[in-house]
Amino acid sequence: MTKDNIQKKTLSIRISTNGFCFCIHAPALSDSIEYFTYKPDIERSLAANLQAAFESCPLVNKEEEYDIKAIVETGEYTCIPAEHDNADDYKQIFKYCFPKEQDVEIIANRLNTYGFTILFPVENSIHETIQNFGNVTFYTPASIIMSYLSYKPIEREQYMLTYLYNDFAFILTMKNGKVGLSNIFRKEEKENTLFYLLSIWKEQGMSQTEDYLYLCGDSSIEELSLSAGKFIKNIRRINPNELFSPSLLNRIGGIPFDLQALILCE
């Protein structure tokens, strides 16, 4: 590794209608993290807000081009088996699943460990805005969390993981190292989130006394944990500080779990 490679910085971004998170870091230096958040103006488009965020972010040197990793929070994605992974078919497959989606770039994240590819949309305006600042690779929370679990698996034969952040709830069930089911939905009301979680738990044939539910995300996991505890015996909260290697990330509050996983594991 050359001195330039060690010092080269990567810009990691989490994009959501609720806000943007920027992290600048040199991958070889664990304590090189710098963090910035931006609250969007609800009167402006997401792309206009992202442009304004880049312009106001003190971490970004406008004269420098970055390697950018961007997580796009979206409630729409679909999985295709590896044997049917053909880039020429991405738009057709995604349109079949989400016929109303237009004016988007379809992004593919290959998850070779699990034998499938995740397809998800990125608005063309967002895609173009980010590319003005460097070479970008897009991800969605589902692909980041699944990749993390293949990198550092939970030692259980069967479990469910639920990640709550902003308006979305992501649910993943795992059976013997393989994905049983994955889905994401808007957590508009706590009762609906609990009902959907328990419905998946039952549909996947999980035991109320033997299997485990893992929770991570924002403060809403506290209430969900109490409610789900009436129905599921084994509930564990995932603490990023215990999972990730010691770094400045552990000392900066508020960095989303998927963004931490992207920075430290990709």
Side-chain angles (χ1 to χ4, degrees), residues 6-64:
I6 292 174
Q7 295 180 344
K8 186 175 182 180
K9 292 183 178 180
T10 296
L11 173 61
S12 299
I13 311 172
R14 193 180 196 280
I15 300 170
S16 166
T17 54
N18 293 79
F20 308 131
C21 304
F22 291 75
C23 276
I24 291 282
H25 69 292
L29 304 174
S30 61
D31 279 355
S32 67
I33 302 290
E34 296 178 85
Y35 185 57
F36 174 77
T37 59
Y38 182 89
K39 188 70 174 176
D41 180 348
I42 60 173
E43 301 297 326
R44 307 172 73 178
S45 70
L46 194 60
N49 273 302
L50 184 59
Q51 180 68 39
F54 268 108
E55 293 174 353
S56 63
C57 180
L59 311 181
V60 178
N61 182 343
K62 310 306 184 296
E63 305 301 320
E64 185 176 351

Side-chain angles (χ1 to χ4, degrees), residues 159-189:
Y159 65 88
M160 175 187 286
L161 182 144
T162 300
Y163 175 49
L164 305 179
Y165 199 78
N166 290 333
D167 293 332
F168 289 101
F170 169 68
I171 290 180
L172 174 73
T173 64
M174 297 289 289
K175 299 180 179 181
N176 299 316
K178 296 182 179 180
V179 175
L181 178 147
S182 73
N183 205 350
I184 192 168
F185 60 96
R186 286 192 175 274
K187 57 181 182 72
E188 296 174 350
E189 297 180 4

Side-chain angles (χ1 to χ4, degrees), residues 118-165:
I118 288 182
L119 302 181
F120 62 96
V122 174
E123 292 180 19
N124 283 331
S125 55
I126 295 293
H127 195 270
E128 294 169 2
T129 298
I130 297 182
Q131 286 185 322
N132 291 332
F133 293 88
N135 301 312
V136 59
T137 304
F138 288 97
Y139 304 87
T140 195
S143 57
I144 291 298
I145 292 174
M146 288 188 218
S147 295
Y148 175 78
L149 290 174
S150 68
Y151 170 78
K152 191 171 183 179
I154 293 174
E155 299 299 327
R156 302 283 178 192
E157 289 186 2
Q158 184 167 276
Y159 65 88
M160 175 187 286
L161 182 144
T162 300
Y163 175 49
L164 305 179
Y165 199 78

